[in-house]
Amino acid sequence: LIALFASLIAAPAAAQLAPEGGATPPAEEAEARTARAREIFVVGVGHSQAQRWTEAVASFREALELRAAPAIQYNLAAALVELGEVREAHAALLAIEGDPEAPANLRELTAQLRRRIQTGYGRVQIELADELGGAAVALDGEPLSDEMAASAIPLPNGPHQVTATRDDETVARASVTTHAGELTHVVLSAAPVRVVEPVVEIVPIVATPLAEEPLLWVGVAAGVLVVAGVIITVVALTSGQSATLVEGNFRPGLITWP
């Protein structure tokens, strides 16, 4: 009787919540998007295992459009680094670091990948003088979000242009050349732009015995962190839960799952 009573209450409520015109209920639509994201994610993992980085990036981007999950962000960042697209990889890592639900072990992998970027590429920290408050900042012609503009942005080593615009007018411009391992501060102001002398940051390299760290295969050569291969993170993507890591089998440079 209790079950029957509950069903009689639930039925009208469901009828009221169902979209008109026979449209797919939001919950079913979310489940379908999650299932599709999982399929595309698995395809991306296959591309990564075969070191088809361009195809892997395309798959992870597509999966991310369907479901924003930290593990997808991480695999996208890892594949982008292999292609030298460290600026977009940085944005993906920022998303993980800013997600309070990202698992601790995924945060550790994120920190490892960030250290790899810092040793191989230069970074730029941009600051706006008070008189330029509210100006839009662009790097190499591409607008920066407030979050990106406030961070130390990794870039391919070489020359770059930083600009600030207000009302479609360029109010400040700076040229900077990045070098591996260096952090350069650029202060944009109405006066001549000031580029602070680059700072070479020493990234601590710690060789961890494999018996103590089953998720990574790392080596140290000439003071540079070397990641052999790629770390593939497989997750269970469900419509009602956050992405969670799944433990897998380890072999040098790769994590695979049966």
Side-chain angles (χ1 to χ4, degrees):
L1 291 176
I2 295 175
L4 176 60
F5 180 73
S7 66
L8 290 175
I9 295 176
Q16 292 175 4
L17 295 175
E20 297 180 359
T24 303
E28 292 184 15
E29 182 178 350
E31 290 177 3
R33 288 173 63 87
T34 295
R36 180 58 181 156
R38 185 186 300 113
E39 293 174 0
I40 299 171
F41 179 84
V42 171
V43 171
V45 168
H47 287 314
S48 294
Q49 290 173 322
Q51 299 187 17
R52 295 187 294 267
W53 304 117
T54 300
E55 292 84 352
V57 165
S59 293
F60 293 135
R61 281 175 178 161
E62 187 178 355
L64 199 59
E65 290 179 358
L66 294 169
R67 180 168 176 78
I72 300 177
Q73 294 275 17
Y74 174 81
N75 275 9
L76 173 61
L80 286 166
V81 170
E82 296 297 333
L83 294 176
E85 301 291 340
V86 290
R87 177 172 163 180
E88 186 180 349
H90 172 62
L93 296 181
L94 283 178
I96 299 171
E97 293 162 345
D99 186 346
E101 297 185 0
N105 48 355
L106 183 55
R107 289 184 179 278
E108 176 58 28
L109 292 177
T110 297
Q112 293 281 350
L113 184 57
R114 186 169 290 290
R115 286 195 287 270
R116 178 186 174 188
I117 294 172
Q118 290 177 3
T119 58
Y121 297 87
R123 293 174 295 149
V124 171
Q125 182 82 58
I126 303 169
E127 180 182 346
L128 285 178
D130 292 340
E131 68 269 19
L132 294 184
V137 180
L139 181 57
D140 294 332
E142 297 184 19
L144 295 178
S145 66
D146 292 341
E147 183 182 30
M148 282 285 284
S151 67
I153 307 169
L155 297 169
N157 300 321
H160 300 277
Q161 290 285 330
V162 183
T163 58
T165 59
R166 181 185 288 147
D167 299 326
D168 297 326
E169 179 183 355
T170 300
V171 292
R173 177 184 289 109
S175 297
V176 60
T177 300
T178 56
H179 302 279
E182 292 184 354
L183 173 63
T184 303
H185 289 267
V186 178
V187 182
L188 294 175
S189 66
V193 173
R194 180 164 55 93
V195 178
V196 181
E197 190 68 20
V199 176
V200 179
E201 293 193 337
I202 305 301
V203 179
I205 304 300
V206 179
T208 306
L210 290 179
E212 299 177 13
E213 179 52 86
L215 291 179
L216 296 175
W217 181 267
V218 297
V220 179
V224 177
L225 179 66
V226 178
V227 177
V230 61
I231 298 168
I232 307 298
T233 305
V234 176
V235 295
L237 297 176
T238 59
S239 59
Q241 300 178 345
S242 302
T244 55
L245 289 173
V246 178
E247 294 293 338
N249 298 328
F250 173 80
R251 68 183 185 188
L254 189 66
I255 297 175
T256 61
W257 283 258

